[in-house]
Amino acid sequence: MATLPKDTSFQVEDKVLTPPAVAIDNDDERPKVLLLNDDGIKSKGLKELAIALEEEGYAVCVVSPLTNQIHPSFSVTIQETIRAKKLETWGKNIFCFAVSGFPMNCLKFAYGEVIPKILKWDEIDLVIAGINKGRNIGTDLLYSGTIALASAARFENETFMKNNKTPKSLAVSLCPPSIRSTSSLSSSQFLDWDFDIAVKATIQITKLLLNAEQTPNVIWNCNIPQRPKQG
């Protein structure tokens, strides 16, 4: 199991997660988006995208690993206790949960507990995995946690959803300005990841996806370039 961060606000609770003591509008007619990632709950891109989606009129829920997971693919913890904690609300009313397992544990926790039992949603319109730090192309797809999340979210059959209909799913990654791997670039060149363009692009792609017909057996994988730092 991953080592927990020292920040006590991110420590998981050693008890069963209970529904939060806040009002939940079960008649909320906004499009519902589940946001996941494999970079961890502290990822800047995760929070920026969540808040931007809410500002665009979407109901958003975030479920993320406590720590960054490197190339987890479809790994899942099955023999160890998984802990979860509800964190402070982001934006106006974005529920955020941190999970002490793999990204796939986050999806299972979201589908099995958060969505049907805490938020009491009976459907999800879109699942977004990202925004990932680094591109997901070619053989990256074989071990990418981002791609695995989008795939599992799309193809699992969940009984809490209307007619067992799973949502559309989108994987989003922020690419370095080179086809080489991010690790091969100068550390100073990517000291700060700028998610602004990727967030704006994801908002537009979200609108297109939600207005398009559901395509059978398809997920969307979008790699959005970032310009090198100037100077």
Side-chain angles (χ1 to χ4, degrees), residues 115-182:
I115 301 301
K117 298 179 182 180
I118 297 178
L119 297 181
K120 301 186 184 302
W121 292 353
D122 61 3
E123 63 180 349
I124 306 173
D125 296 287
L126 178 65
V127 174
I128 301 178
I131 299 170
N132 187 67
K133 293 181 181 178
R135 83 282 191 269
N136 274 304
I137 59 175
T139 56
D140 297 336
L141 307 184
L142 299 176
Y143 46 81
S144 164
T146 305
I147 297 298
L149 283 169
S151 298
R154 175 67 183 88
F155 298 123
E156 286 198 11
N157 184 17
E158 293 299 328
T159 56
F160 73 85
M161 298 186 194
K162 289 181 179 178
N163 303 317
N164 292 348
K165 182 180 179 180
T166 51
K168 300 172 183 177
S169 67
L170 167 66
V172 183
S173 302
L174 179 60
C175 306
S178 167
I179 197 62
R180 296 173 296 167
S181 67
T182 304

Side-chain angles (χ1 to χ4, degrees), residues 19-195:
V22 296
I24 299 176
D25 183 5
N26 294 326
D27 295 324
D28 193 340
E29 297 184 354
R30 294 177 297 170
K32 297 175 176 60
V33 178
L34 171 63
L35 187 54
L36 310 154
N37 76 348
D38 66 355
D39 288 337
I41 193 67
K42 290 186 177 182
S43 171
K44 180 182 176 183
L46 179 73
K47 187 170 186 177
E48 288 185 9
L49 178 57
I51 292 174
L53 285 166
E54 184 184 49
E55 290 176 347
E56 286 291 325
Y58 300 101
V60 182
C61 175
V62 175
V63 184
S64 175
L66 279 165
T67 57
N68 184 16
Q69 306 285 318
I70 305 298
H71 302 154
S73 187
F74 287 89
S75 296
V76 62
T77 301
I78 58 174
Q79 294 182 328
E80 297 180 20
T81 301
I82 298 297
R83 309 292 184 188
K85 180 179 177 63
K86 182 183 181 299
L87 307 180
E88 292 184 1
T89 300
W90 290 352
K92 294 180 179 179
N93 195 30
I94 301 173
F95 281 27
C96 303
F97 300 86
V99 178
S100 66
F102 290 109
M104 203 57 57
N105 290 110
C106 296
L107 176 62
K108 290 183 176 296
F109 178 64
Y111 273 13
E113 295 291 330
V114 176
I115 301 301
K117 298 179 182 180
I118 297 178
L119 297 181
K120 301 186 184 302
W121 292 353
D122 61 3
E123 63 180 349
I124 306 173
D125 296 287
L126 178 65
V127 174
I128 301 178
I131 299 170
N132 187 67
K133 293 181 181 178
R135 83 282 191 269
N136 274 304
I137 59 175
T139 56
D140 297 336
L141 307 184
L142 299 176
Y143 46 81
S144 164
T146 305
I147 297 298
L149 283 169
S151 298
R154 175 67 183 88
F155 298 123
E156 286 198 11
N157 184 17
E158 293 299 328
T159 56
F160 73 85
M161 298 186 194
K162 289 181 179 178
N163 303 317
N164 292 348
K165 182 180 179 180
T166 51
K168 300 172 183 177
S169 67
L170 167 66
V172 183
S173 302
L174 179 60
C175 306
S178 167
I179 197 62
R180 296 173 296 167
S181 67
T182 304
S183 60
S184 68
L185 298 176
S186 165
S187 59
S188 62
Q189 189 175 7
F190 270 89
L191 183 62
D192 296 314
W193 289 83
D194 184 359
F195 290 94

